[in-house]
Amino acid sequence: QSALTQPPSASGSPGQSVTISCTGTSNDVGGYNYVSWYQQHPGKAPKLMIYEVSQRPSGVPDRFSGSKSGNTASLTVSGLQAEDEADYYCSSYADSNILFGGGTKLTVL
Amino acid sequence: QVQLQESGPGLVKPSQTLSLTCTVSGASISSGSYYWSWIRQPPGKGLEWIGYIYSSGSSNYSPSLRSRVIISVDTSRNQFSLRLSSVTPADTAVYYCASVYTSMVHWGQGALVAVSS
């Protein structure tokens, strides 16, 4: 099983919106509604931001939203803030296994 | 709230076995509320899922590591452990433990393990 495909980088100015994609196959992203997104700041552990495609854990700002169409999931960050600058990883359940994307470095300009 | 803490040697010699333990607080491993997982991150690289275990002892591992990995659980100590055999420098990474429901809900702070002679 291959890793999920994410763009290596994304950027936006404060207040703008940015969308990060995560492409898999019908055996993972497209086959299950178990896509999650994690935020990781340098030197820190990842933090769950979105689970089950579009659900936000308690405490995660509603500026973060998730969606899925076919084999591609997306994370949208609206109203970008400086503290959103981080690495973002998608993950999907895949037939008893778990796959991660390669990560996207989000830069707030 | 659920907290996890990794512990174990920070340096392992090539060909030896890497062993780490994750101690869970704020939740009982035996409650069955979560699966318990290990994930690693080589320096400067992305996340890689290693495997998970349920309180019953049933487990599943990444196909790429399956031949070298064992994850076990000790419900009496509320801990679960990782053993990775025949390590090489490519196994140098920060190793995280996490609780899993439909996603990795809670994460430990991570433990850096270097493989070097």
Side-chain angles (χ1 to χ4, degrees), chain A residues 20-43:
Chain A
I20 299 170
S21 63
C22 171
T23 301
T25 70
S26 59
N27 294 319
D28 38 70
V29 173
Y32 306 92
N33 287 324
Y34 292 139
V35 176
S36 49
W37 290 90
Y38 303 89
Q39 177 191 67
Q40 186 179 35
H41 287 110

Side-chain angles (χ1 to χ4, degrees), chain A residues 7-8 11 14-15 23-24 35-36 39 51 59 70 77-78 82 90 98 107-108:
Chain A
S11 63
T23 301
V35 176
S36 49
Q39 177 191 67
Y51 67 98
V77 186
S78 305
C90 64
I98 297 173
T107 300
V108 180

Side-chain angles (χ1 to χ4, degrees), chain B residues 20-93:
Chain B
L20 291 171
T21 296
C22 182
T23 300
V24 179
S25 59
S28 171
I29 282 182
S30 58
S31 70
S33 298
Y34 299 104
Y35 284 76
W36 304 95
S37 186
W38 287 96
I39 303 101
R40 70 180 183 179
Q41 185 172 36
K45 296 188 177 181
L47 301 170
E48 179 184 18
W49 174 69
I50 298 172
Y52 57 68
I53 192 165
Y54 195 56
S55 54
S56 63
S58 65
S59 58
N60 196 42
Y61 305 128
S62 167
S64 65
L65 296 171
R66 184 168 293 146
S67 63
R68 299 193 291 132
V69 173
I70 297 175
I71 297 176
S72 58
V73 64
D74 185 342
T75 55
S76 66
R77 296 187 176 188
N78 221 35
Q79 296 175 332
F80 62 106
S81 298
L82 168 70
R83 287 174 59 85
L84 180 65
S85 62
S86 305
V87 297
T88 72
D91 294 309
T92 293

